[in-house]
Amino acid sequence: MPRRKRTAGSSSDGTADSDDSGDHEKTDSSHSEANQRNNTRLTRASLRLSQSSQVVLMLFFLTPLHVYKMLFLFLDAPPDVKLAAERDESPPRTPTGNAPSSESDIDISSPNASHDESVTKDQKDSGSDPSHRPKRRRFHESYNFNMKCPTPGCNSLGHLTGKHERHFSISGCPLYHNLSADECKVKAIEREKQEEERSQGQNEENRHATRHQAPTPRQVRYKEKVMEMRKRRDSGLTKDQKEKYMEHRQTHGTTREPLLENITSDYDLELFRKAQARAAEDLEKLRLQGQITEGSNMIKTILFGRYELDTWYHSPYPEEYARLGRLYICEFCLKYMKSQTILRRHMAKCVWKHPPGDEVYRKGAISVFEVDGKKNKIYCQNLCLLAKLFLDHKTLYYDVEPFLFYVMTEADNTGCHLVGYFSKEKNSFLNYNVSCILTMPQYMRQGYGKMLIDFSYLLSKVEEKVGSPERPLSDLGLISYRSYWKEVLLRYMCNFKGKEISIKEISQETAVNPVDIVSTLQSLQMLKYWKGKHLVLKRQDLIDEWKAKETKRGNNNKTIDPSSLKWTPPKGT
């Protein structure tokens, strides 16, 4: 007898229940579905448990810094990114298709990026839209786990300005300046009070007070107060103070600032502290804006020819060169190198002995070369990078094609050494005759800056134009230009024999902009308003003072000779 085939509704002994077979089939099917759902839940629970155990194991091996970062990124992420993470989706991709390997690969300013226009709705829903990515940069700006003050023994708390809770550089370190964080806060409050008192005093004065020759009573009192404070300065350091200073120097070396008390008057020391705090505040602003990076990514010194120069500001050299802290630059072709060995090998085969371009001026050892930014692009870019190390307001680095560069050199038996330069737009709608001007630090305070300025105005005279430097000027540039304008006006006044003088005539003869002439006359207190008219006063005391300086200076060959200029204005530029 053949065996009966067992079905889902058959009994264990092989006999079938014909009456209740349908009900049993429905009940068994519902049980099987319930068992399947339970098995699915168990499978998901075990999967979550295994994933959580893997996460716990991963967190166990990670450092606390990585854990903080992961928690911060998860908490700071938008809801759609969190959902994408819960669905175990892949991380957002960069425009090149690669996963971001560092924070720099994630573009947090994606609304301005061109690849954001092609983002589809599916990408936004999946969390791969660049505009929906977590802003990871805020984590470092808020916590700065990887940054630490390089001063030994410093906990990075406090700031020299007294306005920040933490610092990460020597410029803002209170310990380096032999101060505490509380002392910096107290000094900041005192400086704010002094600024308020000064602003109130200026508001109380008559707005026409600048037109009077005599100083105001407030200025007289302040001058007397300063003179009294400077008289209190001790004649010299005592033996105990010298021993204290030597002990401090032997203990800390160059890791701390030398003790400055009793070296000068309290007034001058306070001025120096104010300048330090202001410089630290400027560096802090640049650091927060991302223009400079603290620590090693800033060039401290450069070797330029036979000089070793300390830099003043940050310049955007490539990172592999900037992080060295010391740069080696060829003084003729301005190529920058990493080591002295490379520089020595380069100098052995470098054929340059003067800047490229045309020599448009020569008198004695002084020459000026006109270099076109379009024809000699690499040289002009290197010149701009070098200039940024000593200029604060310079913004031109690589777009040099619309400019002409006039490079001044001093010649000897080894070549033409760079003294300074100024750049000039080929087509300036505002008649700027100078865009950027620099005198190298080793040639400052020797008259070369005025020679560069005088040469720029000489070119304006040849072009039959009125020129003016482009604003804003750097601090040293403003001082140089004011001194030059003062000298030009006093020379004009000394040689002027008429009775009536016109600012327009002065401008046409000297090529100086009338606005600069008026501002200089006001600073010299030579422009007065009397009976509804503006009058120019010929102050003989200032003219005699200028003539005495000219006689004392003598003939030092630090002047521009117009007859030595061999230049015609460029056409079709």
Side-chain angles (χ1 to χ4, degrees), residues 17-277:
D17 297 330
S18 59
D19 297 332
D20 301 327
S21 61
D23 296 336
H24 280 293
E25 288 179 358
K26 293 179 181 179
T27 305
D28 291 342
S29 62
S30 62
H31 281 296
S32 63
E33 291 176 0
N35 292 334
Q36 186 176 2
R37 286 196 299 268
N38 292 332
N39 292 334
T40 304
R41 291 173 181 172
L42 291 174
T43 304
R44 290 179 178 175
S46 61
L47 180 59
R48 291 195 184 103
L49 181 61
S50 61
Q51 290 177 351
S52 62
S53 61
Q54 293 176 1
V55 171
V56 171
L57 184 60
M58 181 179 65
L59 294 177
F60 180 78
F61 285 102
L62 289 177
T63 61
L65 173 61
H66 294 86
V67 177
Y68 295 154
K69 286 183 178 181
M70 293 173 64
L71 292 176
F72 177 82
L73 293 175
F74 184 78
L75 293 175
D76 192 49
D80 54 351
V81 179
K82 292 183 181 179
L83 293 175
E86 291 177 358
R87 292 195 298 266
D88 194 21
E89 293 184 354
S90 59
R93 299 285 174 174
T94 58
T96 58
N98 299 325
S101 58
S102 62
E103 295 171 4
S104 60
D105 293 335
I106 295 182
D107 185 9
I108 66 172
S109 59
S110 56
N112 296 329
S114 60
H115 62 271
D116 288 338
E117 299 176 356
S118 61
V119 176
T120 61
K121 182 179 180 181
D122 297 333
Q123 290 176 333
K124 292 183 178 180
D125 295 337
S126 63
S128 61
D129 181 11
S131 62
H132 290 269
R133 296 172 185 166
K135 297 183 179 181
R136 301 171 64 178
R137 188 174 298 176
R138 292 196 304 173
F139 177 77
H140 284 277
E141 293 179 354
S142 302
Y143 293 91
N144 294 292
F145 283 106
N146 295 329
M147 300 178 67
K148 184 180 178 182
C149 178
T151 304
C154 182
N155 56 3
S156 298
L157 295 178
H159 200 276
L160 182 63
T161 60
K163 300 179 181 179
H164 306 281
E165 296 296 331
R166 297 179 66 86
H167 67 275
F168 307 99
S169 64
I170 293 179
S171 61
C173 178
L175 184 62
Y176 175 81
H177 297 90
N178 303 312
L179 298 171
S180 63
D182 296 335
E183 290 176 347
C184 293
K185 291 181 180 179
V186 172
K187 290 182 178 294
I189 295 174
E190 293 177 355
R191 286 193 292 266
E192 289 179 357
K193 290 182 179 179
Q194 292 176 0
E195 289 295 331
E196 291 178 359
E197 294 176 357
R198 182 180 178 183
S199 61
Q200 291 177 359
Q202 290 179 351
N203 293 332
E204 292 174 359
E205 291 178 357
N206 187 1
R207 61 188 181 91
H208 299 291
T210 56
R211 297 177 179 175
H212 298 289
Q213 296 183 9
T216 61
R218 189 183 67 86
Q219 293 174 343
V220 173
R221 291 194 302 268
Y222 184 75
K223 182 178 180 181
E224 293 176 353
K225 180 181 177 181
V226 171
M227 293 177 64
E228 182 65 24
M229 293 178 66
R230 285 177 171 170
K231 287 180 181 178
R232 297 176 187 174
R233 188 182 68 176
D234 296 333
S235 58
L237 297 176
T238 62
K239 184 177 180 181
D240 295 338
Q241 291 174 345
K242 290 182 180 179
E243 292 179 355
K244 181 181 178 181
Y245 289 2
M246 290 300 296
E247 182 181 358
H248 180 273
R249 183 177 180 181
Q250 293 175 0
T251 303
H252 301 288
T254 58
T255 59
R256 294 279 188 90
E257 183 184 67
L259 297 177
L260 303 177
E261 287 72 14
N262 300 322
I263 291 181
T264 184
S265 64
D266 295 338
Y267 174 77
D268 294 323
L269 181 59
E270 184 62 25
L271 284 180
F272 179 69
R273 292 296 187 192
K274 288 181 181 179
Q276 281 184 324

